[in-house]
């Protein structure tokens, strides 16, 4: 019987055999893991076995290191010296174990491992360590016993799943205006209320897994089960997630399973002296661009490690799902580097890591078994078919994929085209070019578009005028253009979004400049690793109008259930730069013309009465207020089944109207 993925897309028929084989490989691997259990998730519990655990009478520590000849527990309890009393013993299948009296270890005590192998040795952090801290002076990382007397207890229920996620992408460390690393507590107290007020229903937290280099933005993970200690304690992260749940907000985690940091003393690389304990042997185990290690997704122990990691964050911290980073790098042996995926054959030509495809499908199986209404999002720039299709249909089981072509399109348009050259037909095509059978999240920009060397959309629009001409008492044509287009770009992006929308922290109000974390090249400065909230809070600056618009835009989309329908084009007038489309009874109208307003623009439309919901030119959003919102528009009968509507459409304006 043909898989639904192939049945839905005739262009996949030539590759039916490959898709069938990949599907069987997923099911076969699932069976290998579940031969004694009823569900895959029930067999993924590595974090309950490995690592440090407190029992009623003692401490138990276990580690997997098949190439090790000896392992010693080092810490404050033995002056960090190798001692036979703290030697682990072999426990079979490459496992090691030590049991210690209850009074040997205490909460917040530091420890590490000394791993020995034939021909060498090295200090290591445990593979399943849950708390890692860095010494302020020596910069050395150590594991820390985390067994608080009064652990934080979650008391708020998870909010129901939002079928159409409105995602606020956030980085805890740069969430304060101060030139330092912000904390979970600061985010909970000062940023979370802003997100709730705007109307987002989901927060995507970046850089949660412990990473030794802050400037990696959290994408060079060393300790996969540890909460980044830069931002606070595990209890403070639990308190943040619990508070978000209490406010009706779901929290998903930006999880990094596409690679691991190269570091040996802090990470998993050469943990037991071998290159390929967790990673592919040879060149395949090293990422050529990221200087990191690539997991061996075909090894059972590695699969169990990563699948258990998914389960761990859902159960231990009550995350509501994940956004999987770097999927493209996982899917292809060449990591998709400098490749343009222009035809289907490029997804089935032997360059694909089918072990990784299997892993991603199994990860989605575990995630949705642990939490049936969890959401999983794939970041894949290649567009491989089936990424966001159900496993039963031959897909990988992600609920959504990031529509990564949209921000690329906006950058290209802003860089290469004058305003007069914007082609609304191309614009509508690019923003709606999605696989119908897959759910997608659209966005105009994320953190990627704001990193050092690039610019946010607002900074591209206004450039240096952002420093001198944002006062409400000033008039500046560059800023006027930037304000108008920033609102229109966001509105048309969410208006054409298929299933959800994403915004990066601060971009909703046009945060100036770029993101640049402390590094040697900038003198270890925090100048650009923060959010300047005082700008949007200042009544005398125009940033606040973009923020007010963002709230009104989300409310309009939510209240009118825009995502229940797909965009249907009514007008693509390239000469006048008018774009009009409907979603159910909601009509989106855009005039991208930089100069010309059209006082009596006639076009065919569904019959009925149309009233205004939102318009970017509203004075409340720093517009000119050229539209009378009290005006009601009625279609004029032209012929059976055909009506005509006439609207005043000012230059550089986007509007939403509703038909009744």
């Amino acid at each position: 019987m043909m898989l639904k993925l192939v049945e839905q897309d005739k262009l996949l028929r030539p590759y039916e055999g490959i898709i069938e084989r990949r599907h069987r490989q997923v099911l076969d691997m699932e069976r290998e893991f579940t031969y004694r259990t009823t569900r895959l998730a029930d067999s993924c519990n590595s974090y309950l076995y490995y690592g440090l655990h407190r029992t009623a009478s003692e401490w138990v520590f276990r580690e997997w290191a098949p190439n090790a000849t000896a392992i010693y527990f080092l810490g404050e309890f033995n002056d960090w010296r190798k001692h036979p009393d703290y030697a682990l013993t072999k426990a079979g299948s490459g496992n090691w174990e030590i049991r210690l009296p209850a009074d040997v270890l205490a909460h917040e005590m530091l420890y590490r491992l000394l791993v020995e192998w034939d021909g060498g040795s090295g200090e290591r952090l445990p593979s399943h360590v849950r708390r890692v801290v860095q010494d302020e002076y020596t910069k050395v990382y150590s594991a820390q016993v985390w067994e608080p007397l009064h652990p934080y207890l979650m008391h708020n229920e998870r909010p129901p799943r939002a079928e159409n996620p409105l995602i606020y992408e956030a980085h805890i460390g740069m969430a304060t205006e101060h030139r330092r690393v912000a904390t979970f507590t600061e985010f909970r107290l000062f940023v979370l209320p802003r997100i709730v007020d705007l109307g987002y229903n989901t927060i995507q937290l970046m850089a949660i897994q412990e990473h030794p280099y802050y400037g990696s933005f959290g994408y060079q993970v060393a300790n996969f089960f540890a909460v980044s200690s830069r931002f606070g304690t595990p209890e403070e992260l639990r308190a943040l997630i619990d508070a978000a749940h209490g406010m009706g907000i779901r929290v998903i985690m930006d999880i990094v399973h596409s690679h691991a940091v190269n570091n040996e003393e802090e990470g998993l690389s050469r943990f037991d002296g071998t290159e390929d304990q967790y990673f592919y042997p040879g060149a395949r185990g090293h990422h050529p661009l990221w200087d990191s290690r690539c997991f061996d997704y075909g090894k059972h122990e590695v699969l169990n490690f990563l699948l258990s990691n998914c389960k761990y964050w859902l159960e231990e911290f009550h995350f509501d799902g994940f956004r999987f980073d770097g999927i493209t790098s996982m899917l292809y042996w060449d990591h998709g580097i400098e490749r343009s995926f222009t035809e289907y054959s490029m997804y089935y030509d032997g360059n694909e890591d089918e072990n990784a495809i299997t892993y991603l499908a199994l990860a989605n199986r575990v995630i949705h078994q642990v939490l049936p209404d969890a959401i999983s999002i794939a970041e894949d720039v290649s567009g491989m078919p089936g990424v966001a299709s159900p496993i039963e249909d031959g897909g990988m089981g992600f609920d959504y994929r990031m529509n990564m072509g949209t921000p690329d399109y906006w950058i290209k348009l802003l860089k290469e085209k004058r305003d007069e050259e914007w082609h609304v037909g191309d614009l509508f095509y690019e923003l709606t070019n999605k696989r119908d059978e897959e759910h997608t999240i659209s966005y105009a920009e994320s953190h990627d578009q704001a990193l050092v060397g690039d610019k946010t959309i607002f900074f591209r629009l206004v450039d240096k005028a952002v420093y001198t001409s944002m006062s409400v008492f000033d008039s500046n044509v560059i800023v006027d253009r930037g304000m108008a287009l920033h609102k229109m770009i966001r509105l048309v992006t969410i208006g054409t979004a298929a299933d959800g929308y994403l915004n990066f922290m601060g971009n909703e109000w046009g945060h100036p400049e770029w993101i640049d974390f402390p590094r040697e090249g900038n003198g270890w400065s925090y100048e650009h690793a923060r959010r300047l909230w005082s700008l949007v809070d200042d009544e005398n600056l125009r940033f606040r109008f973009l923020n007010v618009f963002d709230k009104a835009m989300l409310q309009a989309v939510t209240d009118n259930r825009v995502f229940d329908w797909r965009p249907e084009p009514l007008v693509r007038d390239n000469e006048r730069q008018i774009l009009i489309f409907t979603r159910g009874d909601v009509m989106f109208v855009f005039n991208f013309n930089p100069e010309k307003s059209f006082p009596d623009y006639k076009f065919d439309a569904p019959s009925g009465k149309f009233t205004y919901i939102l318009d970017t030119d509203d004075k409340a959003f720093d517009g000119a207020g050229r539209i009378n919102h009290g005006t009601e528009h009625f279609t004029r009968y032209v012929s059976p089944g055909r009506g005509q509507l006439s609207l005043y459409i000012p230059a550089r304006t986007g509007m939403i109207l509703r038909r009744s």
Side-chain angles (χ1 to χ4, degrees):
M1 183 176 176
M2 183 181 290
L3 288 169
K4 192 173 181 181
L5 177 65
V6 180
E7 189 179 316
Q8 289 174 327
D9 189 343
K10 293 180 180 178
L11 295 176
L12 291 175
R13 300 286 170 86
Y15 313 106
E16 181 180 1
I18 297 173
I19 296 170
E20 286 273 5
R21 188 190 71 240
R22 292 176 182 176
H23 179 62
R24 286 196 304 272
Q25 185 171 317
V26 172
L27 300 182
D28 290 345
M29 185 63 76
E30 184 176 17
R31 278 192 289 270
E32 287 184 34
F33 269 86
T34 59
Y35 68 101
R36 288 179 181 169
T37 55
T38 56
R39 302 186 314 163
L40 178 62
D42 295 334
S43 62
C44 300
N45 300 299
S46 69
Y47 62 94
L48 298 178
Y49 180 77
Y50 295 111
L52 184 64
H53 300 278
R54 175 72 187 265
T55 70
S57 59
E58 62 181 357
W59 295 91
V60 180
F61 177 84
R62 300 185 187 92
E63 190 56 83
W64 176 62
N67 188 56
T69 56
I71 302 179
Y72 295 88
F73 221 58
L74 309 178
E76 300 172 79
F77 42 83
N78 61 8
D79 294 326
W80 300 97
R81 293 181 299 177
K82 172 182 171 181
H83 193 284
D85 289 349
Y86 295 93
L88 278 68
T89 58
K90 287 187 176 181
S93 301
N95 294 324
W96 297 77
E97 181 181 282
I98 187 172
R99 294 176 180 270
L100 297 169
D103 60 355
V104 170
L105 301 177
H107 177 57
E108 295 188 331
M109 191 173 280
L110 303 180
Y111 67 98
R112 290 195 295 274
L113 302 178
L114 174 63
V115 182
E116 297 181 346
W117 55 85
D118 288 337
S121 66
E123 290 193 5
R124 298 289 186 263
L125 298 182
S127 62
H128 288 70
V129 64
R130 299 192 184 194
R131 173 78 170 162
V132 173
V133 294
Q134 184 181 29
D135 186 277
E136 184 179 351
Y137 300 104
T138 67
K139 305 303 180 184
V140 171
Y141 282 90
S142 298
Q144 185 178 51
V145 178
W146 194 256
E147 197 72 28
L149 186 62
H150 301 292
Y152 186 88
L153 300 177
M154 316 283 271
H155 58 271
N156 287 313
E157 294 290 327
R158 299 178 192 264
R161 169 172 168 163
E163 286 304 315
N164 303 112
L166 301 174
I167 303 172
Y168 197 88
E169 183 187 34
H171 184 281
I172 298 294
M174 58 181 290
T176 180
E177 187 156 345
H178 302 293
R179 293 175 178 85
R180 57 170 172 77
V181 180
T183 66
F184 291 124
T185 300
E186 287 175 310
F187 189 93
R188 172 171 59 83
L189 294 176
F190 304 116
V191 182
L192 181 58
R194 294 179 184 269
I195 300 170
V196 173
D197 180 64
L198 286 170
Y200 290 90
N201 57 37
T202 306
I203 299 173
Q204 178 180 305
L205 291 181
M206 307 172 63
I208 294 301
Q209 296 166 294
E210 188 63 79
H211 47 291
Y213 181 45
Y214 188 45
S216 75
F217 224 145
Y219 291 123
Q220 295 259 348
V221 174
N223 315 111
F224 287 79
F225 291 85
V227 175
S228 179
S229 59
R230 285 186 183 88
F231 312 138
T233 69
E235 310 313 304
E236 288 164 344
L237 173 58
R238 289 187 175 95
L240 165 57
I241 295 172
D242 196 30
H245 287 168
M247 296 177 181
I249 305 285
R250 297 198 116 205
V251 185
I252 64 174
M253 176 175 153
D254 200 346
I255 197 167
V256 183
H257 283 178
S258 49
H259 63 134
V261 74
N262 218 0
N263 301 36
E264 296 178 5
E265 290 191 8
E266 294 89 7
L268 298 172
S269 187
R270 293 185 72 246
F271 184 87
D272 67 355
T274 58
E275 282 273 322
D276 58 350
Q277 181 185 355
Y278 285 93
F279 309 107
Y280 281 122
R284 281 186 172 176
H286 296 265
H287 199 291
L289 285 186
W290 298 345
D291 189 29
S292 56
R293 302 304 312 275
C294 301
F295 284 108
D296 183 346
Y297 303 103
K299 186 179 285 188
H300 279 210
E301 294 87 351
V302 176
L303 283 177
N304 190 28
F305 176 84
L306 295 173
L307 294 172
S308 298
N309 193 239
C310 295
K311 182 178 180 180
Y312 168 78
W313 293 106
L314 294 173
E315 293 205 328
E316 294 292 318
F317 291 89
H318 290 202
F319 276 101
D320 302 296
F322 303 99
R323 178 261 200 188
F324 276 72
D325 175 71
I327 295 296
T328 307
S329 178
M330 300 172 65
L331 295 178
Y332 305 95
W333 292 119
D334 65 2
H335 309 294
I337 297 170
E338 294 183 357
R339 292 186 75 193
S340 296
F341 293 86
T342 55
E343 54 185 59
Y344 275 24
S345 62
M346 302 180 78
Y347 306 122
Y348 308 101
D349 60 4
N351 181 43
E352 299 75 38
D353 182 353
E354 296 189 351
N355 293 329
I357 293 172
T358 297
Y359 164 66
L360 291 171
L362 295 180
N364 278 296
R365 185 79 89 197
V366 167
I367 290 165
H368 292 102
Q369 286 178 350
V370 173
L371 184 64
D373 65 350
I375 67 169
S376 62
I377 305 171
E379 186 211 32
D380 169 38
V381 73
S382 76
M384 179 181 280
V387 167
S389 295
I391 296 171
E392 290 71 25
D393 295 351
M396 296 181 211
F398 283 96
D399 297 299
Y400 306 90
R401 70 154 79 232
M402 303 296 292
N403 191 33
M404 300 181 73
T406 298
D408 291 343
Y409 173 74
W410 284 123
I411 290 174
K412 184 178 177 67
L413 194 63
L414 291 168
K415 286 174 67 174
E416 299 179 5
K417 299 288 186 181
R418 295 181 297 114
D419 293 2
E420 297 81 0
E421 297 174 326
W422 286 24
H423 189 286
V424 296
D426 289 347
L427 190 150
F428 185 78
Y429 171 78
E430 293 289 346
L431 297 186
T432 57
N433 183 23
K434 311 170 181 78
R435 297 183 67 85
D436 289 338
E437 74 276 13
E438 295 188 337
H439 297 301
T440 56
I441 306 293
S442 290
Y443 56 107
E445 55 185 340
S446 68
H447 72 275
D448 283 326
Q449 284 69 46
L451 289 170
V452 63
D454 212 334
K455 299 177 181 178
T456 63
I457 286 178
F458 193 66
F459 199 71
R460 285 186 186 280
L461 290 168
V462 302
D463 205 66
K464 61 185 178 182
V466 78
Y467 302 115
T468 60
S469 305
M470 290 301 294
S471 170
V472 295
F473 306 110
D474 294 339
S475 179
N476 183 290
V477 292
I478 295 175
V479 173
D480 290 345
R481 168 185 177 266
M483 295 285 288
L485 286 179
H486 196 265
K487 289 177 285 185
M488 292 183 72
I489 287 170
R490 282 182 286 157
L491 185 60
V492 75
T493 299
I494 199 171
T496 53
D499 305 284
Y501 176 75
L502 176 140
N503 164 71
F504 179 68
M505 177 173 64
N507 286 354
E508 70 275 10
W509 52 267
H511 195 286
E513 301 183 338
W514 54 90
I515 299 167
D516 188 11
F517 281 82
R519 56 187 174 87
E520 190 174 4
N522 64 16
W524 303 103
S525 170
Y526 285 90
E527 186 64 31
H528 296 290
R530 58 196 184 115
R531 297 284 90 176
L532 305 176
W533 301 110
S534 60
L535 296 180
V536 70
D537 293 338
D538 191 334
E539 292 289 316
N540 295 321
L541 296 179
R542 299 173 73 176
F543 295 104
R544 63 185 174 90
F545 294 111
L546 298 177
N547 196 64
V548 171
F549 173 76
D550 205 69
K551 178 178 180 177
M553 178 182 77
L554 296 183
Q555 183 175 351
V557 167
T558 303
D559 289 352
N560 291 280
R561 301 187 61 83
V562 164
F563 292 113
D564 288 357
W565 296 271
R566 288 291 184 254
E568 295 291 340
L570 291 181
V571 176
R572 284 171 283 192
D573 185 339
N574 295 314
E575 182 181 349
R576 296 176 180 81
Q577 295 181 284
I578 301 289
L579 173 65
I580 303 173
F581 57 90
T582 59
R583 299 189 76 156
D585 288 329
V586 178
M587 178 185 290
F588 289 80
V589 180
F590 295 90
N591 179 5
F592 285 98
N593 197 299
E595 297 177 348
K596 294 181 180 178
S597 299
F598 300 97
D600 186 25
Y601 191 88
K602 296 183 176 64
F603 59 97
D604 288 359
S607 60
K609 179 179 75 173
F610 288 84
T611 54
Y612 290 99
I613 296 172
L614 182 75
D615 100 86
T616 62
D617 194 52
D618 194 320
K619 286 187 176 180
F621 313 137
D622 200 35
R626 291 170 288 181
I627 294 173
N628 180 358
H629 290 176
T631 303
E632 296 178 337
H633 298 275
F634 296 85
T635 50
R636 181 174 66 85
Y637 175 81
V638 176
S639 61
R642 183 186 169 201
Q644 193 174 71
L645 197 64
S646 175
L647 294 178
Y648 168 44
I649 314 179
R652 280 201 185 119
T653 298
M655 303 178 284
I656 307 179
L657 297 93
R658 184 170 183 84
R659 181 173 73 97
S660 58

